[in-house]
């Protein structure tokens, strides 16, 4: 896990964007912390009521994210995949990552990938935005999705003001 070169992450001022957050039910403590930090980013951006949807696991994130792109400007997918003793880890990680990328491209909508793909539970904790974590993927994925949604709005001519950050 290298955070080298990462800029300070702030949520953009985006009170008019419609945001959805999809979170898994597995790895409850970690997923809940990531969701809390994603909601903190939404609040910092001025979004009063982001939609929160729960799914069984990470494999379900792409299809639900795709459905949510139909009436949201940005979607954030939050999940945790921890390596086990079988090749299942690689299959799940590849499917989820490719699926979320495909959704973003097919729907031309900002999709924040907040799926942790780690070897150990401790690595997930270190990236989940706890007080002693070195990374904050729930917040970062949300801020990136909102910033991207603003860029897309500008490119489409929907948003004439310069992007501002709080």
């Amino acid at each position: 896990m290298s955070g080298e070169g990462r800029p300070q992450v702030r949520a953009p001022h985006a009170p008019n964007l419609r945001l959805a957050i999809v979170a898994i039910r597995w790895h409850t403590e970690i997923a809940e912390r990531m969701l809390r930090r994603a909601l903190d980013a939404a609040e910092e951006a001025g979004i009063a009521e982001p939609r929160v949807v729960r799914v069984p696991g990470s494999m379900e994130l792409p299809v639900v994210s795709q459905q949510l792109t139909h009436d949201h400007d940005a979607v954030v997918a939050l999940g945790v995949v921890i390596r086990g003793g079988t090749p299942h880890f690689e299959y799940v990680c590849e499917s989820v990552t490719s699926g979320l990328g495909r959704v973003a491209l097919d729907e031309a909508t900002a999709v924040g990938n907040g799926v942790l793909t780690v070897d150990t539970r401790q690595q997930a904790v270190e990236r989940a935005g706890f007080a002693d974590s070195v990374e904050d993927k729930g917040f970062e994925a949300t801020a990136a999705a909102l910033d991207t949604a603003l860029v897309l709005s500008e490119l489409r001519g929907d948003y004439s003001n310069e992007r501002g950050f709080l």
Side-chain angles (χ1 to χ4, degrees):
M1 289 182 295
S2 172
E4 188 174 329
R6 182 177 51 239
Q8 179 182 359
V9 177
R10 298 177 300 170
H13 183 68
N16 297 323
L17 292 183
R18 296 163 299 162
L19 172 66
I21 303 167
V22 188
I24 65 166
R25 292 187 197 115
W26 277 74
H27 305 292
T28 306
E29 179 188 11
I30 297 165
E32 287 301 314
R33 180 60 187 175
M34 290 174 58
L35 175 58
R36 175 70 261 154
R37 293 299 294 146
L39 292 169
D40 289 345
E43 182 179 340
E44 186 176 301
I47 297 172
E49 295 184 37
R51 182 169 187 186
V52 175
V53 177
R54 303 298 181 131
V55 296
S58 294
M59 285 295 290
E60 292 74 29
L61 289 169
V63 69
V64 173
S65 294
Q66 184 167 36
Q67 183 63 41
L68 288 166
T69 64
H70 299 165
D71 54 3
H72 292 84
D73 302 303
V75 176
V76 177
L78 301 175
V80 181
V81 183
I82 299 175
R83 184 181 300 277
T86 69
H88 181 71
F89 174 84
E90 282 82 9
Y91 303 142
V92 171
C93 294
E94 175 65 27
S95 293
V96 173
T97 302
S98 295
L100 291 173
R102 180 176 156 203
V103 169
L105 293 172
D106 289 353
E107 303 299 334
T109 302
V111 176
N113 184 342
V115 180
L116 302 180
T117 56
V118 296
D119 290 324
T120 67
R121 181 183 185 286
Q122 183 56 39
Q123 287 176 340
V125 168
E126 290 171 0
R127 298 175 67 195
F130 290 98
D132 57 349
S133 295
V134 296
E135 295 183 47
D136 191 352
K137 291 302 181 186
F139 191 99
E140 293 170 7
T142 304
L146 293 172
D147 193 16
T148 302
L150 290 173
V151 170
L152 290 170
S153 289
E154 288 177 20
L155 292 172
R156 294 174 181 141
D158 297 337
Y159 186 78
S160 59
N161 297 329
E162 184 176 328
R163 288 180 291 137
F165 290 89
L166 296 176

